[in-house]
mmCIF file of all heavy atoms in Angstrom:
data_model
loop_
_atom_site.group_PDB
_atom_site.id
_atom_site.type_symbol
_atom_site.label_atom_id
_atom_site.label_comp_id
_atom_site.label_asym_id
_atom_site.label_seq_id
_atom_site.Cartn_x
_atom_site.Cartn_y
_atom_site.Cartn_z
ATOM 1 N N ILE A 51 0.787 22.371 2.990
ATOM 2 C CA ILE A 51 0.934 21.561 1.805
ATOM 3 C C ILE A 51 2.293 20.734 2.189
ATOM 4 O O ILE A 51 2.503 19.703 1.845
ATOM 5 C CB ILE A 51 1.016 22.307 0.650
ATOM 6 C CG1 ILE A 51 -0.393 22.863 0.397
ATOM 7 C CG2 ILE A 51 1.538 21.622 -0.561
ATOM 8 C CD1 ILE A 51 -0.405 23.878 -0.802
ATOM 9 N N THR A 72 -3.195 26.775 -9.568
ATOM 10 C CA THR A 72 -1.937 27.722 -9.591
ATOM 11 C C THR A 72 -1.402 27.900 -8.165
ATOM 12 O O THR A 72 -0.251 27.748 -7.907
ATOM 13 C CB THR A 72 -2.287 29.011 -10.331
ATOM 14 O OG1 THR A 72 -2.597 28.764 -11.663
ATOM 15 C CG2 THR A 72 -0.961 29.884 -10.184
ATOM 16 N N ALA A 73 -2.398 28.214 -7.234
ATOM 17 C CA ALA A 73 -1.951 28.552 -5.841
ATOM 18 C C ALA A 73 -1.440 27.242 -5.160
ATOM 19 O O ALA A 73 -0.235 27.387 -4.466
ATOM 20 C CB ALA A 73 -3.202 29.168 -5.079
ATOM 21 N N VAL A 74 -2.035 26.240 -5.293
ATOM 22 C CA VAL A 74 -1.682 24.985 -4.585
ATOM 23 C C VAL A 74 -0.493 24.301 -5.210
ATOM 24 O O VAL A 74 0.453 23.811 -4.441
ATOM 25 C CB VAL A 74 -2.961 23.901 -4.515
ATOM 26 C CG1 VAL A 74 -2.428 22.586 -4.095
ATOM 27 C CG2 VAL A 74 -3.916 24.412 -3.701
ATOM 28 N N LEU A 76 1.810 25.660 -7.748
ATOM 29 C CA LEU A 76 2.879 26.503 -8.287
ATOM 30 C C LEU A 76 3.164 27.714 -7.345
ATOM 31 O O LEU A 76 4.121 28.322 -7.449
ATOM 32 C CB LEU A 76 2.583 26.938 -9.590
ATOM 33 C CG LEU A 76 2.329 25.858 -10.682
ATOM 34 C CD1 LEU A 76 2.095 26.454 -12.071
ATOM 35 C CD2 LEU A 76 3.499 24.868 -10.680
ATOM 36 N N GLY A 77 2.263 27.900 -6.416
ATOM 37 C CA GLY A 77 2.478 29.120 -5.434
ATOM 38 C C GLY A 77 3.571 28.889 -4.337
ATOM 39 O O GLY A 77 4.114 27.782 -4.379
ATOM 40 N N PRO A 78 3.831 29.953 -3.723
ATOM 41 C CA PRO A 78 4.730 29.727 -2.440
ATOM 42 C C PRO A 78 4.313 28.747 -1.610
ATOM 43 O O PRO A 78 3.144 28.837 -1.195
ATOM 44 C CB PRO A 78 4.814 31.206 -1.918
ATOM 45 C CG PRO A 78 4.293 32.066 -2.937
ATOM 46 C CD PRO A 78 3.262 31.370 -3.738
ATOM 47 N N GLY A 79 5.128 27.906 -1.325
ATOM 48 C CA GLY A 79 4.850 26.866 -0.204
ATOM 49 C C GLY A 79 3.941 25.754 -1.030
ATOM 50 O O GLY A 79 3.343 24.818 -0.294
ATOM 51 N N GLY A 80 3.877 25.885 -2.258
ATOM 52 C CA GLY A 80 3.011 24.843 -2.964
ATOM 53 C C GLY A 80 3.704 23.417 -3.156
ATOM 54 O O GLY A 80 4.774 23.243 -2.699
ATOM 55 N N VAL A 81 2.946 22.598 -3.874
ATOM 56 C CA VAL A 81 3.420 21.307 -4.126
ATOM 57 C C VAL A 81 4.690 21.190 -4.938
ATOM 58 O O VAL A 81 5.628 20.493 -4.354
ATOM 59 C CB VAL A 81 2.264 20.468 -4.756
ATOM 60 C CG1 VAL A 81 2.880 19.057 -5.123
ATOM 61 C CG2 VAL A 81 1.068 20.341 -4.189
ATOM 62 N N GLU A 83 7.261 23.110 -5.061
ATOM 63 C CA GLU A 83 8.497 23.533 -4.357
ATOM 64 C C GLU A 83 8.633 22.671 -3.078
ATOM 65 O O GLU A 83 9.679 22.684 -2.510
ATOM 66 C CB GLU A 83 8.573 25.055 -4.038
ATOM 67 C CG GLU A 83 7.501 25.445 -3.034
ATOM 68 C CD GLU A 83 7.858 27.093 -2.699
ATOM 69 O OE1 GLU A 83 8.104 27.748 -3.718
ATOM 70 O OE2 GLU A 83 7.669 27.460 -1.536
ATOM 71 N N SER A 84 7.642 21.990 -2.652
ATOM 72 C CA SER A 84 7.689 21.267 -1.399
ATOM 73 C C SER A 84 7.846 19.741 -1.607
ATOM 74 O O SER A 84 8.426 19.080 -0.672
ATOM 75 C CB SER A 84 6.369 21.391 -0.669
ATOM 76 O OG SER A 84 6.158 22.810 -0.404
#
Side-chain angles (χ1 to χ4, degrees):
I51 292 173
T72 298
V74 166
L76 304 178
V81 177
E83 70 175 39
S84 302

